[in-house]
Amino acid sequence: MKQLNVMIKPASSLCNLRCRYCFYADISNIREIPSFGVMKEEVTDAMLENIRKDLEPGDRITFAFQGGEPTLAGLAWFRHFTEITNTWKSDIEVSLALQTNATLLDEDWCRYLHEQDYLVGVSMDILQENHDGTRVDEKGSGTYKQVIRAMKLLDEYRVEYNVLCTLTSQVARHPQQVWKQVKALDIRYVQFTPCLDELDAEKASVFALKPERFASFYTTLFRLWYEDVKKGDYRSVKLFDDLIGYLATGVPSTCDVAGHCSPQFVVEADGSVYPCDFYCLDEYRIGDITKDGLLTLGKSAAMAAFLNRDHRRPKLCADCRYGNFCGGGCKRMQKQVCCGPEDDFCGNRSFLDSCIKELLMLAEQEKRYNRGF
């Protein structure tokens, strides 16, 4: 039985917003072709046919749609996609996820998302002042109220969703306010994604996270979260869940917890496949989904070359007790979360040193629960 995950960019890097820290705008602008536009029907059909050929009874596959802004592909594109996957055999489990800025969601979209049982990720930076200062439309106007409206609509149509907050240096200054607002909005699932510098940046972005701020944010947030957990008010914070899961099972759920890259399949609108969302660059293209299936692409020389790239660990890793699962962190996020090659402070180590006792206790509780005790 296989578990496959495919990220699809049906509208390539097209977006109706102009977020001031967008990493994919940076990535796509480095490519020879910045945007491939909306995925054509013939590409969609060939992609799904090649994927289906690799699936057997009992297999599970998750399709996650991202961008740019994937809803720009249009509701008709998504209906066509699920019309095809709904014809697949019932013993193949298909899950659907959509990461969106939510500004284009309306009743028709929400009705469809409910009918097809999507898990929706809503991009929102929690605090209105920070959100409206960075997540702006083409006119430079903030979009916070539009996102709040969309979240209410998702609730009305009973669409399951989580919130993805870009953890900028500015947001990370305010963990208490962030957690207060998470509770005020009754967000049950939240993920904080470190804001990155541009790939080849010579000067650091004012929005990019720094290890010191990563550590201070998560250490304070954990204390607030843990106090609520003890009172029976559990809300999912992805990093905490990932760490507890790893400590309980020894099985990493993400690359940054694993400490090394794992193969991914990111499909751009022209059918090109890349091994990681952070590296959708011409030099890392591993193939074409309209010509080869996932299993062939996963075994390709290009995929192996990407996974086996040199990953120099910072000097602080030498005597770090978390090295067996952190491994210096994600290559792309290392400078924002952990440390640089010669730095004398690691954000991840500082956070774990402060919270590891409670994390281990929660992991032990999870192990007992899984054993039925």
Side-chain angles (χ1 to χ4, degrees), residues 94-140:
V94 177
S95 298
L96 302 166
L98 173 72
Q99 185 65 45
T100 175
N101 63 42
T103 61
L104 301 177
L105 297 184
D106 57 16
E107 291 191 356
D108 287 341
W109 267 108
C110 290
R111 189 177 298 110
Y112 165 78
L113 295 169
H114 170 75
E115 290 171 354
Q116 298 299 325
D117 197 25
Y118 273 78
L119 171 62
V120 175
V122 174
S123 297
M124 184 184 73
D125 288 351
I126 308 296
L127 303 177
Q128 182 171 359
E129 180 180 357
N130 294 108
H131 180 104
D132 282 343
T134 54
R135 302 190 63 81
V136 298
D137 62 20
E138 293 174 326
K139 297 179 181 179

Side-chain angles (χ1 to χ4, degrees), residues 54-351:
D54 282 338
L55 298 175
E56 300 172 328
D59 286 350
R60 299 177 181 178
I61 185 165
T62 296
F63 292 108
F65 303 97
Q66 293 199 19
E69 173 49 41
T71 59
L72 286 174
L75 188 51
W77 186 93
F78 281 85
R79 290 190 190 281
H80 177 71
F81 186 99
T82 49
E83 282 172 2
I84 295 174
T85 58
N86 287 343
T87 66
W88 292 358
K89 293 180 180 179
S90 59
D91 51 12
I92 295 173
E93 184 178 329
V94 177
S95 298
L96 302 166
L98 173 72
Q99 185 65 45
T100 175
N101 63 42
T103 61
L104 301 177
L105 297 184
D106 57 16
E107 291 191 356
D108 287 341
W109 267 108
C110 290
R111 189 177 298 110
Y112 165 78
L113 295 169
H114 170 75
E115 290 171 354
Q116 298 299 325
D117 197 25
Y118 273 78
L119 171 62
V120 175
V122 174
S123 297
M124 184 184 73
D125 288 351
I126 308 296
L127 303 177
Q128 182 171 359
E129 180 180 357
N130 294 108
H131 180 104
D132 282 343
T134 54
R135 302 190 63 81
V136 298
D137 62 20
E138 293 174 326
K139 297 179 181 179
S141 300
T143 57
Y144 188 84
K145 291 182 178 178
Q146 292 172 260
V147 177
I148 293 294
R149 175 199 59 79
M151 289 167 61
K152 291 178 179 177
L153 204 56
L154 290 167
D155 285 331
E156 180 182 337
Y157 279 85
R158 304 190 310 281
V159 178
E160 186 176 356
Y161 67 91
N162 54 41
V163 168
L164 189 151
C165 171
T166 300
L167 190 59
T168 60
S169 178
Q170 292 76 18
V171 171
R173 289 189 177 101
H174 308 292
Q176 293 94 342
Q177 293 93 318
V178 167
W179 192 242
K180 181 179 179 180
Q181 186 68 349
V182 165
K183 295 168 68 173
L185 295 172
D186 197 24
I187 297 169
R188 308 306 303 187
Y189 302 89
V190 62
Q191 175 180 354
F192 299 95
T193 302
C195 185
L196 307 177
D197 273 323
E198 293 184 356
L199 193 61
D200 298 317
E202 295 182 1
K203 182 179 179 181
S205 163
V206 296
F207 300 111
L209 194 63
K210 297 292 187 293
E212 292 83 0
R213 196 145 281 165
F214 170 90
S216 63
F217 174 83
Y218 268 116
T219 299
T220 300
L221 192 78
F222 182 84
R223 297 300 172 200
L224 298 168
W225 173 84
Y226 187 59
E227 286 303 311
D228 285 341
V229 168
K230 290 192 294 183
K231 297 173 185 175
D233 181 14
Y234 171 80
R235 297 172 193 272
S236 171
V237 176
K238 191 172 187 305
L239 177 64
F240 303 158
D241 289 349
D242 288 343
L243 289 170
I244 292 166
Y246 176 80
L247 293 169
T249 65
V251 179
S253 56
T254 60
C255 294
D256 51 327
V257 172
H260 58 79
C261 295
S262 57
Q264 300 179 39
F265 300 102
V266 183
V267 182
E268 256 286 3
D270 69 331
S272 294
V273 183
Y274 303 87
C276 176
D277 194 26
F278 290 142
Y279 293 96
C280 291
L281 298 167
D282 297 333
E283 62 191 284
Y284 295 116
R285 184 179 181 274
I286 64 172
D288 186 337
I289 194 65
T290 68
K291 298 177 181 177
D292 292 304
L294 297 177
L295 299 185
T296 298
L297 292 167
K299 297 176 182 177
S300 67
M303 177 68 87
F306 177 82
L307 297 178
N308 294 325
R309 290 172 305 144
D310 180 52
H311 183 20
R312 181 187 174 192
R313 289 193 178 192
K315 66 178 183 180
L316 285 180
C317 291
D319 62 350
C320 182
R321 61 173 171 153
Y322 311 114
N324 63 321
F325 64 91
C326 170
C330 165
K331 292 185 176 94
R332 184 66 177 91
M333 295 192 292
Q334 188 182 76
K335 290 192 297 182
Q336 279 72 47
V337 171
C338 296
C339 53
E342 303 300 325
D343 292 346
D344 56 8
F345 177 88
C346 174
N348 201 32
R349 181 193 286 192
S350 177
F351 159 65

